[in-house]
Protein backbone atom coordinates (compact mmCIF):
# COMPACT_ATOMS: atom_id res chain seq x y z
CA UNK A 1 0.00 0.00 0.00
CA UNK A 2 1.44 3.37 -0.99
CA UNK A 3 1.59 5.97 1.73
CA UNK A 4 1.25 9.68 1.22
CA UNK A 5 4.19 12.00 1.43
CA UNK A 6 4.41 13.63 4.87
CA UNK A 7 3.43 17.30 5.02
CA UNK A 8 6.50 18.59 6.84
CA UNK A 9 10.02 18.71 5.45
CA UNK A 10 13.25 19.19 7.40
CA UNK A 11 14.45 22.78 7.16
CA UNK A 12 17.97 21.39 6.69
CA UNK A 13 18.37 18.02 4.92
CA UNK A 14 22.06 17.67 5.85
CA UNK A 15 22.55 14.48 7.85
CA UNK A 16 26.00 13.55 6.49
CA UNK A 17 28.46 11.91 8.87
CA UNK A 18 31.28 14.10 7.66
CA UNK A 19 31.71 16.78 6.70
CA UNK A 20 28.76 17.33 9.03
CA UNK A 21 26.10 20.03 9.05
CA UNK A 22 27.37 23.50 9.92
CA UNK A 23 25.99 25.06 13.12
CA UNK A 24 22.41 26.26 12.55
CA UNK A 25 23.43 29.92 12.84
CA UNK A 26 26.21 29.61 10.26
CA UNK A 27 26.47 32.05 7.36
CA UNK A 28 29.54 32.54 5.21
CA UNK A 29 29.65 36.25 6.00
CA UNK A 30 30.25 35.40 9.65
CA UNK A 31 33.80 34.46 8.67
CA UNK A 32 34.56 37.99 7.46
CA UNK A 33 37.07 38.55 10.26
CA UNK A 34 39.34 35.73 9.00
CA UNK A 35 43.04 36.65 8.84
CA UNK A 36 43.19 36.10 5.09
CA UNK A 37 46.20 37.08 3.04
CA UNK A 38 48.29 37.40 6.20
CA UNK A 39 51.07 35.23 7.50
CA UNK A 40 49.82 32.68 10.01
CA UNK A 41 52.95 33.61 11.98
CA UNK A 42 51.85 37.26 12.24
CA UNK A 43 50.34 38.27 15.58
CA UNK A 44 46.79 38.23 14.22
CA UNK A 45 47.10 34.68 12.91
CA UNK A 46 48.92 33.36 15.94
CA UNK A 47 46.30 34.84 18.25
CA UNK A 48 43.52 33.12 16.34
CA UNK A 49 45.34 29.77 16.40
CA UNK A 50 45.92 30.14 20.13
CA UNK A 51 42.24 31.02 20.64
CA UNK A 52 41.30 27.87 18.70
CA UNK A 53 43.51 25.80 21.00
CA UNK A 54 42.31 27.39 24.23
CA UNK A 55 38.67 27.35 23.08
CA UNK A 56 39.04 23.63 22.49
CA UNK A 57 40.46 23.22 25.99
CA UNK A 58 37.64 25.28 27.53
CA UNK A 59 34.75 23.50 25.82
CA UNK A 60 36.11 19.96 26.05
CA UNK A 61 37.32 20.45 29.64
CA UNK A 62 40.87 19.40 28.77
CA UNK A 63 43.20 19.64 31.79
CA UNK A 64 45.65 22.56 31.90
CA UNK A 65 48.67 20.27 31.80
CA UNK A 66 47.58 18.56 28.54
CA UNK A 67 48.99 19.84 25.24
CA UNK A 68 46.67 20.63 22.33
CA UNK A 69 48.04 20.95 18.81
CA UNK A 70 46.50 21.84 15.46
CA UNK A 71 48.11 19.54 12.92
CA UNK A 72 47.99 18.79 9.19
CA UNK A 73 45.84 16.23 7.40
CA UNK A 74 42.74 16.22 9.55
CA UNK A 75 42.11 13.36 11.97
CA UNK A 76 44.06 10.93 9.81
CA UNK A 77 47.13 13.13 10.13
CA UNK A 78 46.68 13.46 13.89
CA UNK A 79 46.28 9.69 14.44
CA UNK A 80 49.13 8.77 12.14
CA UNK A 81 51.58 11.23 13.69
CA UNK A 82 50.85 9.59 17.05
CA UNK A 83 51.20 6.04 15.70
CA UNK A 84 54.44 6.79 13.86
CA UNK A 85 55.97 8.86 16.70
CA UNK A 86 55.04 6.88 19.77
CA UNK A 87 54.48 3.21 19.00
CA UNK A 88 57.14 0.52 19.04
CA UNK A 89 58.27 1.25 22.60
CA UNK A 90 56.20 -1.72 23.86
CA UNK A 91 53.66 -4.20 22.59
CA UNK A 92 50.44 -2.66 21.31
CA UNK A 93 46.82 -3.80 21.39
CA UNK A 94 44.77 -2.63 18.44
CA UNK A 95 41.00 -2.56 18.96
CA UNK A 96 38.76 -2.26 15.91
CA UNK A 97 35.07 -2.78 15.20
CA UNK A 98 34.62 -0.84 11.97
CA UNK A 99 36.60 0.53 9.06
CA UNK A 100 38.46 3.46 10.66
CA UNK A 101 39.73 1.28 13.50
CA UNK A 102 40.64 -1.32 10.88
CA UNK A 103 42.62 1.34 9.00
CA UNK A 104 44.77 1.99 12.09
CA UNK A 105 45.35 -1.77 12.36
CA UNK A 106 46.68 -1.77 8.79
CA UNK A 107 49.01 1.12 9.62
CA UNK A 108 50.45 -0.62 12.65
CA UNK A 109 50.61 -4.20 11.41
CA UNK A 110 51.34 -3.82 7.71
CA UNK A 111 53.18 -0.50 7.50
CA UNK A 112 54.96 -0.10 10.83
CA UNK A 113 55.18 -3.87 11.36
CA UNK A 114 54.93 -3.51 15.14
CA UNK A 115 54.36 -6.42 17.53
CA UNK A 116 50.59 -6.06 17.91
CA UNK A 117 47.68 -7.98 19.33
CA UNK A 118 44.68 -7.23 17.14
CA UNK A 119 41.18 -7.51 18.61
CA UNK A 120 38.30 -7.01 16.23
CA UNK A 121 34.52 -7.30 16.30
CA UNK A 122 31.98 -7.34 13.51
CA UNK A 123 29.92 -4.29 12.60
CA UNK A 124 27.30 -3.79 15.29
CA UNK A 125 29.39 -5.39 18.04
CA UNK A 126 32.34 -4.30 20.13
CA UNK A 127 35.50 -6.07 21.24
CA UNK A 128 35.80 -7.51 24.76
CA UNK A 129 37.05 -4.39 26.52
CA UNK A 130 37.61 -6.31 29.78
CA UNK A 131 40.31 -8.36 28.05
CA UNK A 132 42.55 -5.38 27.28
CA UNK A 133 45.97 -5.53 28.96
CA UNK A 134 47.15 -2.04 29.84
CA UNK A 135 50.75 -3.16 30.19
CA UNK A 136 50.52 -2.63 26.42
CA UNK A 137 49.91 0.52 24.43
CA UNK A 138 46.29 0.52 23.31
CA UNK A 139 44.87 2.10 20.14
CA UNK A 140 41.10 2.42 19.71
CA UNK A 141 38.34 4.55 18.22
CA UNK A 142 35.95 6.05 20.79
CA UNK A 143 33.03 6.10 18.38
CA UNK A 144 33.24 3.82 15.36
CA UNK A 145 31.66 6.18 12.87
CA UNK A 146 30.86 3.57 10.25
CA UNK A 147 29.24 1.07 12.64
CA UNK A 148 27.55 3.50 15.03
CA UNK A 149 29.17 1.60 17.90
CA UNK A 150 30.97 3.46 20.68
CA UNK A 151 32.70 2.47 23.88
CA UNK A 152 30.15 2.83 26.71
CA UNK A 153 32.55 4.90 28.87
CA UNK A 154 36.18 4.89 29.96
CA UNK A 155 35.81 2.65 33.02
CA UNK A 156 37.59 -0.23 31.26
CA UNK A 157 40.78 1.82 30.89
CA UNK A 158 43.21 1.19 33.77
CA UNK A 159 44.21 4.20 35.89
CA UNK A 160 47.58 2.60 36.62
CA UNK A 161 48.30 1.63 33.01
CA UNK A 162 51.91 1.16 31.94
CA UNK A 163 51.26 1.66 28.24
CA UNK A 164 49.68 4.71 26.66
CA UNK A 165 46.19 4.96 25.19
CA UNK A 166 45.76 6.44 21.72
CA UNK A 167 42.13 7.32 21.04
CA UNK A 168 40.63 8.40 17.73
CA UNK A 169 37.76 10.51 19.00
CA UNK A 170 36.78 12.10 15.70
CA UNK A 171 33.05 11.49 15.91
CA UNK A 172 32.99 11.60 19.73
CA UNK A 173 34.66 14.89 20.67
CA UNK A 174 31.99 17.57 21.34
CA UNK A 175 29.23 14.92 21.63
CA UNK A 176 30.38 12.53 24.33
CA UNK A 177 32.11 12.86 27.70
CA UNK A 178 35.78 11.97 27.25
CA UNK A 179 37.62 11.02 30.47
CA UNK A 180 40.87 12.89 29.94
CA UNK A 181 42.68 11.06 32.77
CA UNK A 182 42.26 7.83 30.78
CA UNK A 183 43.36 9.22 27.42
CA UNK A 184 47.02 9.85 26.63
CA UNK A 185 46.60 10.78 22.97
CA UNK A 186 43.24 11.96 21.67
CA UNK A 187 42.59 13.09 18.13
CA UNK A 188 39.74 14.54 16.13
CA UNK A 189 39.09 16.65 13.05
CA UNK A 190 37.18 19.87 12.67
CA UNK A 191 34.88 18.51 9.99
CA UNK A 192 32.85 16.35 12.36
CA UNK A 193 30.76 17.20 15.41
CA UNK A 194 31.06 21.01 15.26
CA UNK A 195 30.51 21.07 11.51
CA UNK A 196 33.88 22.67 10.85
CA UNK A 197 36.01 22.47 7.74
CA UNK A 198 38.23 19.54 6.86
CA UNK A 199 42.04 19.66 6.49
CA UNK A 200 43.07 20.24 10.08
CA UNK A 201 43.34 17.73 12.89
CA UNK A 202 43.68 18.23 16.61
CA UNK A 203 45.99 16.13 18.77
CA UNK A 204 45.70 16.23 22.57
CA UNK A 205 48.62 14.87 24.61
CA UNK A 206 48.62 13.91 28.28
CA UNK A 207 51.82 14.40 30.32
CA UNK A 208 52.47 10.66 29.88
CA UNK A 209 52.22 11.02 26.11
CA UNK A 210 54.71 13.89 26.21
CA UNK A 211 57.01 11.73 28.32
CA UNK A 212 56.83 8.96 25.70
CA UNK A 213 57.69 11.46 22.97
CA UNK A 214 60.64 12.84 24.91
CA UNK A 215 62.08 9.47 25.96
CA UNK A 216 61.49 7.24 22.94
CA UNK A 217 62.82 7.53 19.41
CA UNK A 218 61.28 5.17 16.86
CA UNK A 219 63.52 3.08 14.66
CA UNK A 220 62.00 4.49 11.48
CA UNK A 221 62.36 7.94 9.90
CA UNK A 222 59.63 10.54 10.48
CA UNK A 223 58.56 13.08 7.89
CA UNK A 224 58.45 16.70 9.00
CA UNK A 225 54.66 16.77 9.31
CA UNK A 226 54.79 13.96 11.92
CA UNK A 227 57.61 15.38 14.03
CA UNK A 228 56.58 16.66 17.47
CA UNK A 229 60.04 16.74 19.07
CA UNK A 230 63.40 18.28 18.34
CA UNK A 231 66.56 17.15 20.11
CA UNK A 232 64.50 14.94 22.44
CA UNK A 233 62.25 17.82 23.56
CA UNK A 234 58.65 18.56 22.66
CA UNK A 235 58.33 21.34 20.09
CA UNK A 236 56.22 23.55 22.34
CA UNK A 237 55.31 25.94 19.54
CA UNK A 238 53.06 23.35 17.88
CA UNK A 239 50.92 23.47 21.02
CA UNK A 240 50.67 27.24 21.22
CA UNK A 241 49.65 27.92 17.63
CA UNK A 242 52.97 27.80 15.75
CA UNK A 243 51.71 25.06 13.46
CA UNK A 244 54.09 22.66 11.70
CA UNK A 245 53.10 23.98 8.31
CA UNK A 246 50.68 26.54 6.92
CA UNK A 247 47.09 26.21 8.13
CA UNK A 248 43.99 27.60 6.43
CA UNK A 249 43.07 30.74 8.30
CA UNK A 250 39.59 30.49 6.78
CA UNK A 251 39.18 27.05 8.37
CA UNK A 252 40.52 28.48 11.64
CA UNK A 253 37.96 31.30 11.55
CA UNK A 254 35.23 28.79 10.83
CA UNK A 255 36.33 26.67 13.82
CA UNK A 256 36.35 29.76 16.07
CA UNK A 257 32.79 30.47 14.91
CA UNK A 258 31.80 26.86 15.70
CA UNK A 259 33.34 27.11 19.18
CA UNK A 260 31.36 30.31 19.81
CA UNK A 261 28.20 28.57 18.71
CA UNK A 262 29.04 25.65 21.03
CA UNK A 263 29.28 28.12 23.92
CA UNK A 264 25.89 29.55 22.98
CA UNK A 265 24.19 26.15 23.34
CA UNK A 266 25.68 25.47 26.76
CA UNK A 267 29.13 24.12 25.91
CA UNK A 268 29.90 20.44 26.05
CA UNK A 269 26.87 19.45 28.12
CA UNK A 270 24.60 21.40 25.77
CA UNK A 271 26.16 19.68 22.77
CA UNK A 272 25.79 16.25 24.36
CA UNK A 273 22.15 16.95 25.19
CA UNK A 274 21.47 17.98 21.59
CA UNK A 275 23.11 14.82 20.19
CA UNK A 276 21.29 12.65 22.74
CA UNK A 277 17.92 14.17 21.81
CA UNK A 278 18.59 13.63 18.11
CA UNK A 279 19.69 10.04 18.60
CA UNK A 280 16.72 9.33 20.87
CA UNK A 281 14.33 10.45 18.14
CA UNK A 282 15.93 7.87 15.81
CA UNK A 283 16.02 5.16 18.50
CA UNK A 284 12.31 5.75 19.24
CA UNK A 285 11.55 5.49 15.54
CA UNK A 286 13.32 2.10 15.41
CA UNK A 287 11.36 0.95 18.48
CA UNK A 288 8.11 1.95 16.80
CA UNK A 289 8.83 0.25 13.46
CA UNK A 290 9.66 -3.41 13.14
CA UNK A 291 11.27 -3.02 9.69
CA UNK A 292 14.29 -1.03 10.86
CA UNK A 293 16.79 -1.47 13.67
CA UNK A 294 19.96 -0.01 15.11
CA UNK A 295 23.07 -1.75 13.76
CA UNK A 296 24.63 -1.44 17.24
CA UNK A 297 23.31 -4.44 19.14
CA UNK A 298 23.95 -3.38 22.74
CA UNK A 299 22.12 -0.20 23.78
CA UNK A 300 25.11 0.80 25.93
CA UNK A 301 27.26 1.06 22.80
CA UNK A 302 24.78 2.86 20.53
CA UNK A 303 26.30 6.04 19.15
CA UNK A 304 24.58 9.38 19.68
CA UNK A 305 26.32 10.84 16.61
CA UNK A 306 26.68 8.35 13.74
CA UNK A 307 23.50 6.33 14.19
CA UNK A 308 23.66 3.34 11.83
CA UNK A 309 20.49 1.55 10.82
CA UNK A 310 19.70 -1.72 9.09
CA UNK A 311 16.50 -2.81 7.38
CA UNK A 312 15.04 -5.97 8.90
CA UNK A 313 11.96 -6.61 6.76
CA UNK A 314 12.07 -10.08 5.19
CA UNK A 315 10.22 -8.83 2.10
CA UNK A 316 13.46 -7.08 1.06
CA UNK A 317 15.10 -8.97 -1.78
CA UNK A 318 18.48 -7.28 -2.23
CA UNK A 319 19.53 -5.53 0.99
CA UNK A 320 22.26 -3.35 -0.51
CA UNK A 321 20.18 -2.22 -3.50
CA UNK A 322 17.18 -1.56 -1.25
CA UNK A 323 19.10 0.65 1.20
CA UNK A 324 20.67 2.58 -1.67
CA UNK A 325 17.29 3.12 -3.29
CA UNK A 326 15.76 4.43 -0.05
CA UNK A 327 18.65 6.85 0.42
CA UNK A 328 18.34 7.95 -3.21
CA UNK A 329 14.62 8.63 -2.85
CA UNK A 330 15.21 10.79 0.22
CA UNK A 331 17.99 12.67 -1.52
CA UNK A 332 15.84 13.24 -4.62
CA UNK A 333 13.13 14.78 -2.42
CA UNK A 334 15.80 16.91 -0.66
CA UNK A 335 14.76 15.34 2.64
CA UNK A 336 18.04 13.69 3.66
CA UNK A 337 21.41 14.03 1.97
CA UNK A 338 24.31 11.55 2.22
CA UNK A 339 22.67 9.02 4.55
CA UNK A 340 23.76 5.81 2.81
CA UNK A 341 25.86 3.47 4.97
CA UNK A 342 29.64 3.82 4.64
CA UNK A 343 31.05 1.91 1.66
CA UNK A 344 32.69 -0.84 3.79
CA UNK A 345 29.81 -1.15 6.28
CA UNK A 346 26.79 -3.49 6.06
CA UNK A 347 23.94 -2.25 3.87
CA UNK A 348 21.78 0.33 5.55
CA UNK A 349 21.58 3.99 6.48
CA UNK A 350 23.61 6.29 8.69
CA UNK A 351 22.02 9.35 10.17
CA UNK A 352 24.23 11.97 11.74
CA UNK A 353 22.83 13.12 15.08
CA UNK A 354 25.64 15.40 16.34
CA UNK A 355 24.74 18.70 17.96
CA UNK A 356 24.71 20.85 14.82
CA UNK A 357 21.67 18.91 13.62
CA UNK A 358 18.31 20.24 14.87
CA UNK A 359 16.03 17.68 16.53
CA UNK A 360 13.09 19.18 14.64
CA UNK A 361 14.84 18.24 11.38
CA UNK A 362 15.38 14.64 12.52
CA UNK A 363 11.73 14.48 13.56
CA UNK A 364 10.59 15.88 10.22
CA UNK A 365 12.84 13.49 8.29
CA UNK A 366 11.79 10.22 9.97
CA UNK A 367 8.21 10.04 8.59
CA UNK A 368 9.78 10.51 5.17
CA UNK A 369 12.01 7.53 5.86
CA UNK A 370 8.85 5.48 6.48
CA UNK A 371 7.44 6.86 3.26
CA UNK A 372 10.58 5.97 1.27
CA UNK A 373 10.66 2.49 2.81
CA UNK A 374 7.05 1.78 1.78
CA UNK A 375 7.60 3.22 -1.67
CA UNK A 376 10.65 1.01 -2.18
CA UNK A 377 8.92 -2.13 -0.88
CA UNK A 378 6.17 -1.46 -3.44
CA UNK A 379 8.69 -0.78 -6.20
CA UNK A 380 10.67 -4.02 -5.76
C1 LIG B 1 36.49 7.52 13.49
C2 LIG B 1 37.11 8.26 12.34
N1 LIG B 1 38.44 8.27 12.21
C3 LIG B 1 39.04 8.93 11.20
C4 LIG B 1 38.32 9.59 10.25
C5 LIG B 1 39.03 10.29 9.13
O1 LIG B 1 38.87 11.64 9.34
P1 LIG B 1 39.53 12.71 8.37
O2 LIG B 1 39.01 12.42 7.01
O3 LIG B 1 39.06 13.99 8.93
O4 LIG B 1 41.00 12.52 8.45
C6 LIG B 1 36.92 9.60 10.33
C7 LIG B 1 36.12 10.27 9.29
O5 LIG B 1 34.95 10.03 9.11
C8 LIG B 1 36.32 8.93 11.41
O6 LIG B 1 35.00 8.93 11.52
Amino acid sequence: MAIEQPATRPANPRFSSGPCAKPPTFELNKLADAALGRSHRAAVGKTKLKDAIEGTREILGIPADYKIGIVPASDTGAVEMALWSMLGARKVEMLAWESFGAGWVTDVVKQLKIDAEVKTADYGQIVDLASVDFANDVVFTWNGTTAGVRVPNGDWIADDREGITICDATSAAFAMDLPWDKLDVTTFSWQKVLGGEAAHGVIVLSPRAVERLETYTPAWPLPKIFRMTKGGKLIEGIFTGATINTPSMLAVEDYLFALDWARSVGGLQGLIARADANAKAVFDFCDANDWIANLAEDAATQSNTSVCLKFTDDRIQDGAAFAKAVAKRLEAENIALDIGAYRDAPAGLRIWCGGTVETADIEAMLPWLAWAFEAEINAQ
Side-chain angles (χ1 to χ4, degrees):
M1 188 190 70
I3 62 170
E4 265 182 44
Q5 288 192 341
T8 308
R9 288 168 178 269
N12 185 354
R14 290 175 181 79
F15 302 105
S16 153
S17 291
C20 301
K22 310 283 299 170
T25 54
F26 176 83
E27 289 167 22
L28 262 182
N29 63 21
K30 297 197 173 157
L31 308 186
D33 193 40
L36 303 184
R38 294 292 313 273
S39 166
H40 59 295
R41 314 261 184 222
V44 59
K46 266 207 196 131
T47 302
K48 285 183 185 286
L49 287 157
K50 197 155 191 293
D51 287 351
I53 288 172
E54 290 314 318
T56 303
R57 187 186 308 281
E58 169 208 330
I59 297 201
L60 292 180
I62 298 173
D65 59 348
Y66 279 45
K67 307 280 180 187
I68 305 172
I70 297 168
V71 298
S74 212
D75 178 69
T76 310
V79 174
E80 291 190 331
M81 72 196 292
L83 301 183
W84 259 256
S85 302
M86 295 166 145
L87 291 187
R90 54 176 67 225
K91 188 176 166 187
V92 56
E93 279 192 47
M94 300 295 302
L95 314 182
W97 49 92
E98 48 77 64
S99 67
F100 285 105
W104 310 140
V105 172
T106 301
D107 274 354
V108 167
V109 174
K110 294 213 170 123
Q111 297 293 325
L112 287 168
K113 301 186 175 32
I114 289 170
D115 179 19
E117 183 166 340
V118 179
K119 295 183 172 164
T120 59
D122 284 339
Y123 279 84
Q125 296 167 11
I126 197 162
V127 299
D128 178 10
L129 299 171
S131 75
V132 177
D133 179 357
F134 287 95
N136 302 323
D137 291 335
V138 178
V139 180
F140 71 102
T141 302
W142 192 276
N143 181 76
T145 318
T146 63
V149 173
R150 64 171 166 181
V151 296
N153 51 50
D155 295 354
W156 55 283
I157 302 172
D159 287 322
D160 60 351
R161 60 194 175 278
E162 292 165 47
I164 55 168
T165 50
I166 299 180
C167 171
D168 173 359
T170 293
S171 52
F174 298 107
M176 304 174 199
D177 268 317
L178 296 173
W180 295 105
D181 57 326
K182 307 269 189 171
L183 304 176
D184 295 310
V185 180
T186 310
T187 67
F188 62 90
S189 53
W190 289 351
Q191 48 101 358
K192 278 281 187 296
V193 180
L194 289 188
E197 290 304 295
H200 298 298
V202 171
I203 188 165
V204 182
L205 304 176
S206 76
R208 298 181 70 245
V210 173
E211 189 196 356
R212 169 69 62 86
L213 281 168
E214 292 189 331
T215 56
Y216 166 70
T217 306
W220 42 83
L222 287 180
K224 175 178 172 177
I225 58 166
F226 282 2
R227 289 202 295 269
M228 289 183 272
T229 57
K230 191 173 178 195
K233 279 277 160 218
L234 194 73
I235 303 172
E236 293 283 346
I238 297 174
F239 305 93
T240 57
T243 50
I244 298 173
N245 65 341
T246 314
S248 157
M249 295 311 294
L250 191 57
V252 170
E253 194 69 18
D254 180 76
Y255 184 62
L256 291 172
F257 171 82
L259 289 172
D260 265 345
W261 172 78
R263 288 182 189 101
S264 78
V265 297
L268 180 60
Q269 292 314 315
L271 290 166
I272 293 173
R274 287 174 65 91
D276 282 350
N278 289 342
K280 183 175 183 301
V282 181
F283 298 166
D284 289 349
F285 181 80
C286 290
D287 288 344
N289 292 285
D290 59 6
W291 46 266
I292 194 157
N294 201 310
L295 185 62
E297 286 167 18
D298 176 358
T301 67
Q302 287 173 351
S303 175
N304 66 347
T305 55
S306 59
V307 179
C308 293
L309 304 175
K310 60 183 175 187
F311 293 104
T312 53
D313 192 303
D314 54 18
R315 289 172 295 174
I316 296 170
Q317 289 155 18
D318 176 342
F322 186 88
K324 269 198 186 133
V326 169
K328 200 171 158 203
R329 240 174 232 277
L330 292 171
E331 184 145 347
E333 289 287 346
N334 202 32
I335 295 298
L337 306 177
D338 314 319
I339 63 163
Y342 190 71
R343 56 179 187 260
D344 299 333
L349 303 177
R350 183 171 53 159
I351 296 168
W352 183 257
C353 289
T356 57
V357 172
E358 301 276 27
T359 308
D361 287 339
I362 297 266
E363 287 170 346
M365 179 271 293
L366 290 168
W368 282 89
L369 173 52
W371 165 81
F373 167 78
E374 283 298 336
E376 220 34 64
I377 285 282
N378 292 339
Q380 277 191 119

